[in-house]
Amino acid sequence: MSSQNKRVALIFWMTFFAFFFVLVPFNSILAAPKELPRVILAIHDSSPSQNIRWSPVHRIFQMPLNHLGFVVKFHNISEPLPDIIDMDEVAGILIWFENDSIPKPDVFLRWAINASIAGKKLLLLGDHAFEKAENGTYTDEKLLKKFWQRLGLVNRSDWNSVTYNSKAIYEDRSIVGFERLLSGVLPPYPTIQAVGDDVTSHFVVQNGDDVKSASHLITTGQGGGFIASGYTHFVGSKEEYLQWYINPFSFFRLAMDSDKLPKADTTTLSGRRIFYSHVDGDGWRNLTEIPIKGEKKRLSSQVIYEEIIKGYSHLPVTVAPVAGDLDPDWFGSKESLNIAKKIFQSPNVEAASHTYSHPLDWAFFKDGNSKKEDPFIARYPSPNSSLKGGLLQFFGLTKKVDVHYDSAIAKEKKLALKNTNDDLASGYTIPRVYRRGDFSLEKEIAGSIEYIQSLLPVGKKVELMQWSGDTMPFEKALRLSREAGVENINGGDSRFDREYPSFAWVAPLGLQVGEELQVYASNSNENTYTDLWTDRFFGFQHLVRTLRNTETPWRVKPINVYYHMYSGEKLSSLNALKKNLDYAQSHNITPITTSQFSAIVKGFYSCKITALTDNRWQLEGCGDLQTIRFDFSTFKGVDIESSVGVVGQKHYHGSLYVALDKSIKDPVIALVDIEHGDGPPAIEKPYLIDSCWQVWNVQRVAGKTKFSTGGFGVGDMRWRIPKGRSCQVWKTDGEKISAKEQNNQLIFKIAARKKPEDIVDITIDCHGDIQ
């Protein structure tokens, strides 16, 4: 090629690339689909003997992070640190130390600095234990300086222990003063300067009028976030009184830049708040105090069957007996068995197990040493002994031995007995309620499931394990339940009411125990409202306050009505239960079984979200989790045509809830900007707004939208339809369903079915124009 031709060719290619890069954004050429990191690795210094369940990292901080779509995993600083550079799934590192020193602080700081350089956000919330080693030597100052620089801060190493003259000179009220004001004499604090251009200070204090003493105690920036020790939340003289100083949702949102992450949501299904209910079998054989004229004394379980299961037959309920209360070789009777069979024949009842012997202190049985139980044998009831109602009042014990100690509410209410074996650190007087031979974990899990399965009608199976006692199963127990093919639940004990007025008492989704996942119940049961079933038997009616407070201003929990069979023992407790169910059914809900909720939480942990573009995401491995939430998305809507596997959408509390189709394996969500926040995006095909039944297998073809649906009770639903179109609704069998059109919405109801599992196929035909 001649030099002239080379110059012509060069000019051609230069011109081509110039126009190419103008017309095609550079980042769209280089950007490849990338899985978004969703894991927060929480580094803590709890002692090996201390259960992580009691750490504020789990009890308090995890729930807001779960709400923002993050999975929290825990790592004790006493263990070797992981290779963080290769952990692409990690979005941030939460550092919470409660002691004044840690082992090998230099190693930790280098690890944290490298993690920050690799793009992981740092969340420093606790004491600065990394400043000193366990042997009393101080950490290298240059290393400390580099660490603080990653947060855009400088620590002047001045500790202000006397703060009576300190005052706030700047307070960001969107972050500070959330549930309790930072006022009066402030907690001691370090002198921290904000030096990074990207750092935003939310709370700044100084000593009197000395401007040089200004300290930035709450900050966020590109490197993450910082809150000085003592400034996250208030702890009262009684440990159970907690309140947030800072707004954890806003702080973690800014520190983690979480608006870029679509949120896997466990509160909502088909556009409505999830409802589920489950019953532990405690008190199955209690004699009720509720009189019925002309009838003999009834068992509490019979009252629950007649008044609740039959009286609210349109709502699902999961019932978990203690197998030992039914098995005639243990403490069962013909009467308790007959009631169980009646209950499980009810179409709205899902079967579960509450174990065989009802372990109270799960840790007691972890090592498998059956001889440890010998000192307690004399305290156990025998099948021939006269028990006043199952788990209550035997051997002079207090009325209720089933205490869910996963809640610190119960810490002050521990059951006590003189000369109790030291192994029962939980405060229980016996390690389990019933004993017929040596403890067998296999019998508690697989054995109880097998026995309860033998009582079920054809076609129904045990779906769930509901943990008993302190609700703190060890890894092997969780593994055996999973291998038995059932989901699991219990623990958590969420409360948010006048007695516990804080989000700090709203539990996270669950806890990863080794390689297994324990799913927490969404709300506490009547046990914590009644002083462990000793007083205020009407107290469970106050669950309504928690249900309200966890719905607004943010929906952080579904509606969960969780109780025991002994709620059928007293008229006041039965009326409290009815009040909660009446409240639930007065709202727009999607009722589901408890095992399905557990599976939804499991989907939260396994879900992978890949960003295809700035406004398009693919989901993988989400299982039963079928709602993705986009916060602060009033002016965003789903592009139905460009999405795959999207059933519908709904704006609520400033967020966009996207309902997914469970029949589509790897759905894709595409968003578009909408011009008016007070109206839906223009559409050519119908989409679901909300429904009390689940909707799937949606096909939109040639003016018709076909789908399958099913659920509990009457299937009322709302669909958005194209403007100016007239639509009709048909069942596949040709039956026309009466529908109302209003404001581009199609509203209709499908009659309840005898079996909730029966599927109905529907067609919405929008061919014609409105006449």
Side-chain angles (χ1 to χ4, degrees):
M1 181 182 292
S2 67
S3 59
Q4 179 67 24
N5 290 338
K6 288 181 180 179
R7 283 195 295 270
V8 172
L10 179 61
I11 293 172
F12 169 81
W13 285 113
M14 289 176 64
T15 304
F16 171 82
F17 281 116
F19 276 100
F20 181 82
F21 285 115
V22 168
L23 296 174
V24 182
F26 184 68
N27 59 357
S28 68
I29 302 169
L30 298 182
K34 182 181 180 181
E35 181 183 336
L36 299 177
R38 297 181 56 229
V39 172
I40 302 293
L41 186 62
I43 307 296
H44 63 96
D45 61 350
S46 301
S47 66
S49 61
Q50 181 184 0
N51 197 316
I52 188 62
R53 299 171 189 268
W54 301 116
S55 170
V57 180
H58 173 63
R59 286 178 54 206
I60 301 175
F61 302 144
Q62 184 178 337
M63 185 280 291
L65 288 166
N66 285 163
H67 178 71
L68 293 174
F70 293 107
V71 173
V72 180
K73 296 184 178 181
F74 302 94
H75 187 91
N76 197 303
I77 191 64
S78 64
E79 300 293 330
L81 292 164
D83 186 358
I84 194 67
I85 304 301
D86 294 332
M87 298 178 72
D88 293 336
E89 72 278 13
V90 173
I93 297 166
L94 190 155
I95 304 166
W96 175 264
F97 296 139
E98 298 183 76
N99 299 307
D100 59 2
S101 63
I102 60 172
K104 300 179 180 179
D106 290 4
V107 173
F108 166 73
L109 287 174
R110 291 189 183 94
W111 177 85
I113 291 167
N114 289 334
S116 176
I117 293 172
K120 320 296 183 186
K121 304 277 190 179
L122 300 179
L123 303 171
L124 178 58
L125 305 183
D127 287 333
H128 306 162
F130 48 79
E131 294 179 345
K132 188 168 65 174
E134 289 179 321
N135 61 8
T137 59
Y138 287 92
T139 309
D140 178 61
E141 291 185 6
K142 292 182 179 179
L143 205 55
L144 283 170
K145 184 178 180 180
K146 288 182 180 179
F147 172 79
W148 286 103
Q149 284 177 343
R150 300 307 306 177
L151 290 166
L153 304 174
V154 170
N155 185 352
R156 288 177 48 188
S157 301
D158 294 331
W159 183 254
N160 301 276
S161 56
V162 179
T163 64
Y164 68 90
N165 198 36
S166 298
K167 61 182 181 181
I169 60 172
Y170 176 71
E171 187 173 3
D172 179 356
R173 291 308 300 271
S174 69
I175 299 290
V176 183
F178 180 53
E179 294 174 345
R180 190 181 187 90
L181 296 175
L182 270 166
S183 58
V185 179
L186 297 171
Y189 61 89
T191 302
I192 304 293
Q193 293 179 328
V195 295
D197 293 336
D198 60 290
V199 174
T200 299
S201 294
H202 304 285
F203 189 67
V204 185
V205 302
Q206 72 180 34
N207 187 12
D209 296 326
D210 182 5
V211 295
K212 293 183 179 180
S213 69
S215 185
H216 300 246
L217 301 183
I218 302 174
T219 67
T220 56
Q222 292 181 5
F226 164 72
I227 304 177
S229 179
Y231 286 79
T232 54
H233 62 283
F234 170 82
V235 181
S237 56
K238 294 183 178 179
E239 284 187 16
E240 69 266 25
Y241 195 87
L242 307 169
Q243 283 188 310
W244 283 100
Y245 287 131
I246 59 108
N247 182 331
F249 304 99
S250 297
F251 174 80
F252 287 132
R253 174 198 167 213
L254 294 175
M256 291 303 304
D257 196 16
S258 66
D259 287 353
K260 298 177 181 178
L261 176 69
K263 281 71 176 172
D265 188 276
T266 62
T267 70
T268 306
L269 192 63
S270 302
R272 296 188 182 182
R273 193 180 188 186
I274 289 172
F275 165 89
Y276 72 98
S277 180
H278 63 299
V279 192
D280 288 346
D282 309 37
W284 192 283
R285 297 179 294 114
N286 291 10
L287 291 178
T288 183
E289 299 174 3
I290 303 173
I292 298 292
K293 187 175 181 180
E295 289 193 17
K296 64 176 184 178
K297 281 280 189 176
R298 298 176 298 168
L299 299 186
S300 294
S301 53
Q302 185 177 346
V303 173
I304 294 297
Y305 169 64
E306 293 171 353
E307 298 284 338
I308 303 301
I309 294 173
K310 291 175 65 177
Y312 295 83
S313 60
H314 55 291
L315 294 177
V317 59
T318 302
V319 178
V322 179
D325 269 327
L326 306 181
D327 187 346
D329 292 334
W330 284 56
F331 291 85
S333 66
K334 183 178 180 180
E335 188 176 9
S336 66
L337 274 173
N338 287 339
I339 294 172
K341 291 177 181 178
K342 286 182 180 179
I343 287 174
F344 288 131
Q345 286 171 355
S346 303
N348 61 322
V349 169
E350 177 184 55
S353 168
H354 199 43
T355 73
Y356 221 106
S357 69
H358 198 288
L360 296 167
D361 186 340
W362 279 90
F364 182 87
F365 299 104
K366 185 177 181 179
D367 63 5
N369 180 7
S370 61
K371 294 298 181 182
K372 288 170 57 179
E373 202 173 8
D374 289 351
F376 303 94
I377 291 177
R379 298 177 185 170
Y380 284 115
S382 66
N384 296 323
S385 63
S386 177
L387 283 179
K388 293 183 180 180
L391 303 186
L392 306 184
Q393 290 185 315
F394 57 88
F395 291 110
L397 300 184
T398 188
K399 277 192 173 183
K400 186 69 176 70
V401 297
D402 177 26
V403 184
H404 288 81
Y405 276 96
D406 192 39
S407 167
I409 296 171
K411 274 189 170 181
E412 295 187 329
K413 308 286 186 179
K414 289 182 179 181
L415 305 179
L417 190 71
K418 291 182 179 179
N419 301 319
T420 296
N421 190 295
D422 289 338
D423 285 344
L424 291 182
S426 63
Y428 288 114
T429 62
I430 47 178
R432 51 180 170 149
V433 171
Y434 300 139
R435 186 183 186 276
R436 294 285 285 161
D438 290 343
F439 180 83
S440 166
L441 186 59
E442 287 71 19
K443 188 173 185 66
E444 296 298 331
I445 308 297
S448 66
I449 291 172
E450 182 181 2
Y451 184 81
I452 294 170
Q453 184 66 48
S454 70
L455 308 177
L456 305 185
V458 176
K460 186 171 285 191
K461 63 185 288 286
V462 176
E463 304 284 358
L464 186 73
M465 177 62 62
Q466 296 177 198
W467 302 112
S468 62
D470 62 10
T471 64
M472 292 193 280
F474 43 88
E475 184 178 8
K476 185 177 180 181
L478 288 160
R479 176 170 58 81
L480 289 182
S481 69
R482 176 177 55 79
E483 291 175 349
V486 299
E487 303 291 340
N488 80 89
I489 202 167
N490 275 354
D493 281 335
S494 291
R495 292 276 299 267
F496 192 175
D497 48 41
R498 293 175 184 173
E499 196 172 359
Y500 300 95
S502 174
F503 276 107
W505 270 106
V506 179
L509 293 174
L511 177 66
Q512 288 191 293
V513 182
E515 297 299 318
E516 302 298 330
L517 174 65
Q518 178 184 353
V519 176
Y520 285 164
S522 301
N523 289 310
S524 189
N525 56 61
E526 79 277 55
N527 203 21
T528 69
Y529 290 87
T530 59
D531 290 337
L532 309 186
W533 200 244
T534 62
D535 195 9
R536 301 188 301 173
F537 297 106
F538 59 86
F540 193 38
Q541 65 182 333
H542 298 306
L543 170 66
V544 168
R545 292 180 178 142
T546 294
L547 300 181
R548 289 172 180 155
N549 290 334
T550 54
E551 170 71 357
T552 185
W554 307 283
R555 179 182 289 170
V556 298
K557 288 290 178 183
I559 293 178
N560 170 216
V561 180
Y562 166 32
Y563 56 103
H564 297 82
M565 279 297 176
Y566 53 73
S567 270
E569 182 181 343
K570 301 178 182 294
L571 182 60
S572 57
S573 58
L574 181 65
N575 287 337
L577 175 56
K578 288 182 176 181
K579 180 178 179 179
N580 292 329
L581 293 172
D582 290 342
Y583 176 86
Q585 68 180 2
S586 70
H587 290 71
N588 287 329
I589 56 175
T590 300
I592 63 173
T593 62
T594 306
S595 69
Q596 185 177 352
F597 174 74
S598 180
I600 287 172
V601 173
K602 189 164 64 176
F604 173 89
Y605 279 81
S606 63
C607 192
K608 295 181 179 180
I609 304 175
T610 299
L612 304 177
T613 66
D614 288 344
N615 286 297
R616 200 161 178 262
W617 300 266
Q618 185 171 49
L619 310 171
E620 298 176 76
C622 299
D624 282 53
L625 186 141
Q626 297 298 327
T627 298
I628 299 296
R629 190 183 79 249
F630 295 86
D631 291 337
F632 302 95
S633 295
T634 302
F635 294 94
K636 291 284 187 180
V638 177
D639 183 348
I640 298 293
E641 293 289 344
S642 300
S643 299
V644 179
V646 170
V647 173
Q649 60 183 315
K650 183 178 181 179
H651 287 90
Y652 185 68
H653 286 338
S655 295
L656 175 64
Y657 290 80
V658 180
L660 303 176
D661 190 329
K662 68 179 182 180
S663 68
I664 303 300
K665 183 181 178 183
D666 299 324
V668 174
I669 301 174
L671 297 188
V672 293
D673 294 330
I674 56 178
E675 186 175 351
H676 302 290
D678 59 349
I683 60 166
E684 296 297 326
K685 298 177 180 179
Y687 67 78
L688 180 71
I689 300 173
D690 57 42
S691 168
C692 73
W693 283 8
Q694 297 173 67
V695 174
W696 68 94
N697 196 25
V698 176
Q699 303 172 50
R700 300 177 176 94
V701 181
K704 295 183 178 181
T705 300
K706 299 181 179 181
F707 60 91
S708 300
T709 186
F712 294 88
V714 175
D716 67 282
M717 56 184 72
R718 296 188 302 158
W719 287 74
R720 178 74 61 187
I721 57 177
K723 188 175 182 179
R725 305 295 292 276
S726 179
C727 303
Q728 295 181 326
V729 184
W730 303 84
K731 285 187 179 180
T732 302
D733 61 10
E735 178 187 348
K736 186 176 181 180
I737 297 176
S738 176
K740 177 183 178 181
E741 294 184 14
Q742 181 179 351
N743 298 327
N744 299 324
Q745 295 182 20
L746 189 66
I747 305 169
F748 57 91
K749 296 181 178 181
I750 306 170
R753 298 136 313 134
K754 291 183 178 179
K755 295 181 178 180
E757 63 268 22
D758 289 346
I759 297 172
V760 180
D761 292 319
I762 299 292
T763 298
I764 298 177
D765 188 346
C766 292
H767 271 102
D769 294 331
I770 295 177
Q771 301 298 319

